[in-house]
Amino acid sequence: MSSTIKQAIEALKSRVADAYTAIVAKGGTLPATQDSANLPTAIASIPSGSVEPDDNDVRFWNYQGTLLYAYSKEEVLANDFSMPPYNVQHDNLSFNGWCYTLEELKAYVREYGMCDVGAYMYTTDGSLTVIVNVTEEVGRTIKPGFLYNGYTPSEKSNYVIDWGDGTIEAYADDVSHTYATDNIFTIKVKQVEAQDVFAVCMGGRVGYAWQKYNYAFSISVLKIYLPRNTFLYHTSRAMIFQDGRCRLINLHEIANPCEAVTSIIYSKVRIAIGLETLNNGFFDCPNQVRACCKSTSSWWRGAGIYDRYIGSISDGGSVGALNSASFLRVIVTSNYCGGQLTNCAALYWVEHRGDIVNIPYAFASYELVYISFLNCTSVPTLANSTAFSKPVSGTYGDKGNTLKIIVPKDLYTQWIEATNWATYASYIYYIDNNGDYSQVTP
Amino acid sequence: MLVQEIKTIEDKEYQYTYSDAGFFIRQIETGHLYNDAMDLIPCPYSYEETDEPIDPAPEPPENENE
């Protein structure tokens, strides 16, 4: 029974926070204390006739995918524009700024005419917070492998673990805990002395024998809230997030998140706007990746991630089946090009940071507006004479954008004469000494 | 069989080379393989047909993450 009451209280807190988010979106005034008692006053502060923000050029989202503000391109580029406020108090989460600075936002809007901006939310107390539902049926023993052994900056001796039932102890390898009762518990892992990076390893499983790096968070985990600068690491082909019950809030980096997560119910997983890097990940787990981008279904629309770049793709990694209905921007750090980006229907912006030597696949199915090869030391072989669609038409073309292929200045002349590149000469640019795109022969 | 045609694109003429049997073609001077090749005229390269069929649906790279 106590479990039910606790669940109800937790749910109520979330609903109150959601209500205050809606009030912000409608232009209302927030009270200093955002509890249920102050809700009526806050609702009354919503201006008469207020409506949801229009779907405009520049949109600001909270981490749950609620549209908070929307502006036209002209409004954002005006001299007096400033980033809008957002101070909703979510349970154990604090607003830590927008994912673009004002300068970045203006530069982006100037270039692309649109932008989605998301809110960074981190745990208020700097902890890794994991909310678990412990039942005798599944098992009351938890053996989490929260910390990544191989990440030097975060020494395990610097961490303590609060099991949420009054037990607090120093973190150690193979640390485990057995709960006395069924209940929802909030586990917090904290750093004794704050370090730059919070290293999290997805190991351990509730109710089952210790399986390092396997079954990291199974059905018993309800939510995971992450602190700033979390480094979330996983090394094996194990089943993290096995049943899709987890909510990952504001990840900054997922390294090797493993591939066998196809069982995820993606409508229940949120990887919000903080995600800037996907290292070598999500191969063979299209549900997970779609969760970042899919704007249909009950997914939370990615809260800006579908406009931010999805991440960097390193050697051996791939991002496939990113059938986003919105914009998709990808940085490819690999020296391999092309195959990682299969079925990315909304791909429009690709930055290659590797030394690409061969492009075996075509980009013709994408409405690219930007693709760069600035770290190439030679002109890559382009296997297809029709590798790119030109001129760009449709959504992005309507906004006045056309394809730009950005190449190193010292390769420009050679590039525009190369096999299969020559017909794209009018779309190939280098960056001149002023930082502008140029087609003047260097 | 290797096929070579002259194509005009945006008022410029190019040499278009491809295999009518669906095989990769090899640029002899560089050794690079192409599905097809579009070159400025005069084309500084020569081509030959390979016996390697063009895969229309390439598999994504193997995940080396272990």
Side-chain angles (χ1 to χ4, degrees), chain A residues 118-418:
Chain A
Y120 283 132
M121 303 288 287
Y122 302 110
T123 51
T124 304
D125 60 3
S127 70
L128 163 68
T129 300
V130 182
I131 300 174
V132 295
N133 185 19
V134 173
T135 63
E136 188 172 22
E137 180 183 4
V138 175
R140 291 175 177 166
T141 297
I142 182 170
K143 297 184 176 183
F146 284 131
L147 302 183
Y148 172 43
N149 287 331
Y151 205 70
T152 306
S154 295
E155 297 296 334
K156 284 173 285 187
S157 60
N158 189 41
Y159 292 84
V160 294
I161 183 166
D162 180 344
W163 295 102
D165 63 351
T167 306
I168 301 174
E169 60 183 311
Y171 187 88
D173 278 341
D174 293 0
V175 65
S176 67
H177 187 70
T178 300
Y179 290 97
T181 60
D182 291 357
N183 209 332
I184 293 175
F185 294 98
T186 299
I187 302 171
K188 289 180 179 287
V189 182
K190 297 181 180 179
Q191 293 177 332
V192 178
E193 294 183 13
Q195 297 179 347
D196 289 339
V197 176
F198 199 115
V200 179
C201 169
M202 309 308 279
R205 188 182 189 187
V206 176
Y208 289 84
W210 167 257
Q211 290 179 285
K212 194 173 185 180
Y213 297 142
N214 284 333
Y215 303 102
F217 295 109
S218 63
I219 193 169
S220 298
V221 175
L222 302 179
K223 299 177 185 177
I224 304 173
Y225 294 130
L226 299 176
R228 178 185 284 275
N229 295 335
T230 298
F231 180 85
L232 187 61
Y233 189 87
H234 196 280
T235 61
S236 75
R237 296 171 186 241
M239 295 184 184
I240 62 172
F241 318 128
Q242 184 184 10
D243 293 289
R245 293 291 183 92
C246 303
R247 294 196 302 177
L248 299 174
I249 309 299
N250 290 304
L251 295 185
H252 258 202
E253 180 168 352
I254 300 180
N256 307 331
C258 90
E259 54 194 276
V261 290
T262 49
S263 64
I264 269 185
I265 305 168
Y266 54 81
S267 64
K268 293 184 178 179
V269 179
R270 303 173 186 176
I271 299 179
I273 50 83
L275 185 62
E276 294 182 353
T277 303
L278 285 180
N279 277 334
N280 194 18
F282 296 105
F283 181 77
D284 196 29
C285 43
N287 284 349
Q288 177 76 1
V289 177
R290 278 179 186 160
C292 298
C293 309
K294 200 171 178 63
S295 61
T296 56
S297 83
S298 58
W299 164 243
W300 294 88
R301 295 195 65 185
I305 200 170
Y306 65 97
D307 173 49
R308 293 279 283 175
Y309 44 81
I310 279 299
S312 63
I313 307 167
S314 57
D315 286 332
S318 67
V319 174
L322 277 171
N323 296 307
S324 168
S326 295
F327 306 105
L328 177 59
R329 173 173 164 161
V330 176
I331 291 178
V332 179
T333 60
S334 170
N335 290 337
Y336 179 80
C337 174
Q340 310 102 317
L341 303 173
T342 52
N343 299 322
C344 299
L347 186 67
Y348 82 110
W349 192 102
V350 183
E351 176 184 339
H352 289 100
R353 292 184 178 175
D355 186 1
I356 307 295
V357 297
N358 181 36
I359 302 175
Y361 309 120
F363 290 87
S365 60
Y366 308 130
E367 294 185 355
L368 290 177
V369 299
Y370 179 98
I371 184 165
S372 68
F373 300 93
L374 288 172
N375 288 326
C376 286
T377 56
S378 62
V379 179
T381 304
L382 186 62
N384 297 273
S385 66
T386 54
F388 302 97
S389 69
K390 59 178 184 177
V392 168
S393 60
T395 305
Y396 315 118
D398 290 344
K399 289 182 177 293
N401 295 307
T402 56
L403 172 65
K404 284 187 175 67
I405 301 171
I406 313 300
V407 305
K409 182 179 179 180
D410 59 350
L411 291 176
Y412 174 75
T413 303
Q414 189 182 343
W415 206 295
I416 62 175
E417 296 176 351

Side-chain angles (χ1 to χ4, degrees), chain A residues 237 283 361 383-385 419-420, chain B residues 27 35-36 38-39 58 61 66:
Chain A
R237 296 171 186 241
F283 181 77
Y361 309 120
N384 297 273
S385 66
T419 300
N420 289 345
Chain B
Q27 197 173 64
N35 293 357
D36 56 354
M38 194 81 76
D39 287 290
E66 274 295 337

